[in-house]
Amino acid sequence: MKCALVLALPLFALCGCMSSALDEEIVSSLHFDAIACPDLVAQRDALAARYAITASGPALVPGERPKYLEPGVGMLVPDYRSASEKQRGRAIGEVAAMDRSISRRKCR
């Protein structure tokens, strides 16, 4: 019993690492609706340029799980991504949210 407890404690410490980090990349587009269209388009283009996010590139899917990560296992896998990868993931989420706001309001 003690052995099982000793083995389970580190797993509980790692729970939620990858899953919660990927969920933070999903951004709501509603708070971008308060920004004027020209300013929002300029802000979106500047953020996309900073992180080299192109419209012709792969589809923007914030919080996308890695291919090796089976559904439901993300809460047991620690987030080993570098700080720059985490920042780029967050930027992808923000750009995708801005795109939804821009298309919903027909800014372009």
Side-chain angles (χ1 to χ4, degrees):
M1 177 66 180
K2 288 183 182 181
C3 182
L5 184 61
V6 169
L7 292 175
L9 286 178
L11 289 176
F12 288 133
L14 293 175
C15 282
C17 294
M18 180 67 121
S19 183
S20 66
L22 292 174
D23 289 343
E24 290 173 1
E25 295 177 3
I26 300 171
V27 179
S28 173
S29 63
L30 294 178
H31 72 274
F32 291 113
D33 289 348
I35 301 173
C37 282
D39 295 337
L40 181 60
V41 170
Q43 184 179 352
R44 183 248 181 253
D45 292 342
L47 186 62
R50 180 176 177 195
Y51 288 97
I53 301 169
T54 60
S56 62
L60 297 179
V61 183
E64 183 176 30
R65 273 43 179 173
K67 302 296 184 227
Y68 63 84
L69 196 60
E70 294 294 324
V73 181
M75 59 188 294
L76 300 175
V77 177
D79 190 4
Y80 288 116
R81 298 177 300 162
S82 67
S84 62
E85 288 174 324
K86 291 177 188 176
Q87 288 175 349
R88 187 170 196 284
R90 177 69 181 179
I92 287 173
E94 288 183 14
V95 167
M98 289 179 196
D99 285 342
R100 289 191 304 272
S101 179
I102 289 168
S103 66
R104 182 174 54 248
R105 297 175 355 183
K106 298 181 174 108
C107 290
R108 287 190 178 177

